[in-house]
Amino acid sequence: MMIPVQRNFLELKDLKNLKTNSIDKNKYIIKKIKPDFQLNKFFYKQVGKNHRWIDRLTWSDEKWINYISNKNLETYIISESCDLAGFFELLHNPELEETEISYFGLLEEYIGKGIGGYALSIAIKKSFERNIRRVWLHTCTLDHPNALKNYIARGMTVFKKEKINILDS
């Protein structure tokens, strides 16, 4: 059986259009990590388990290592005290002068606390530190119901929509 999915592609072309979301910055820490495929793999599985993130589930450790070794990839971890709360990956494309927020998400117990808006604001700011023309991402109806709202609330605009069908497993 096929499941219809709406995919939205969003972008922000100027940092001055970012609508930031602030929370207690002393409570949550966002920091770039050194390449560690185990952490990327952990977050991909844990955040993605409720949203049908399946394309990387079959990756070997070697493929994960090759992926996170990309010099244009940065991974950031969101934490509360010493507890992991979420992550995002920024994939820079210097030739096109753009950055894709390739993955972004929170662990279940941290959803609904305002962290998503704050972390997305930071992800967008970090992207523009690379002197780019735009930051972009895509989301779909399988992602958290607040994902699209969060992206739009930060000032991102939809530049493309598509309908796809995926196989219900």
Side-chain angles (χ1 to χ4, degrees):
M1 181 171 114
M2 300 300 275
I3 300 172
V5 174
Q6 172 76 38
R7 193 170 4 193
N8 293 291
F9 295 78
L10 297 98
E11 67 186 356
L12 187 72
K13 292 185 173 183
D14 193 327
L15 186 57
K16 71 181 177 194
N17 295 327
L18 172 64
K19 298 171 186 161
T20 59
N21 186 6
S22 300
I23 57 172
D24 182 356
K25 294 175 185 166
N26 296 321
K27 188 172 181 178
Y28 297 101
I29 298 166
I30 298 176
K31 68 177 182 176
K32 181 179 169 184
I33 62 166
K34 293 178 183 173
D36 179 346
F37 83 95
Q38 295 287 12
L39 265 176
N40 289 68
K41 186 176 178 179
F42 165 79
F43 277 113
Y44 180 84
K45 286 181 175 181
Q46 293 306 308
V47 172
K49 68 183 174 186
N50 295 325
H51 307 294
R52 292 185 179 266
W53 291 5
I54 59 171
D55 56 318
R56 295 184 185 177
L57 294 179
T58 59
W59 282 15
S60 65
D61 286 352
E62 182 180 1
K63 189 160 184 175
W64 274 102
I65 291 167
N66 287 338
Y67 172 75
I68 60 103
S69 298
N70 180 341
K71 66 180 171 107
N72 291 317
L73 179 74
E74 296 178 340
T75 302
Y76 290 81
I77 299 299
I78 306 153
S79 58
E80 177 185 31
S81 300
C82 293
D83 295 330
L84 298 174
F87 83 125
F88 57 86
E89 295 177 357
L90 302 179
L91 188 56
H92 305 289
N93 187 326
E95 293 79 31
L96 296 176
E97 298 177 329
E98 65 183 26
T99 296
E100 176 188 5
I101 300 174
S102 54
Y103 281 90
F104 178 92
L106 301 172
L107 298 174
E108 273 186 87
E109 57 269 29
Y110 291 94
I111 293 173
K113 297 182 177 186
I115 306 167
Y118 171 68
L120 181 59
S121 296
I122 299 298
I124 291 170
K125 287 178 184 177
K126 294 287 183 191
S127 296
F128 276 100
E129 287 176 2
R130 289 279 188 119
N131 196 24
I132 58 168
R133 292 182 302 108
R134 75 174 187 146
V135 60
W136 71 278
L137 55 79
H138 73 271
T139 188
C140 73
T141 49
L142 297 175
D143 286 335
H144 190 277
N146 291 335
L148 182 60
K149 291 181 231 175
N150 185 24
Y151 302 138
I152 291 171
R154 301 290 73 76
M156 299 187 89
T157 57
V158 175
F159 69 89
K160 178 181 169 185
K161 291 183 179 191
E162 65 184 13
K163 290 185 180 183
I164 59 172
N165 292 309
I166 64 164
L167 188 59
D168 186 17
S169 50

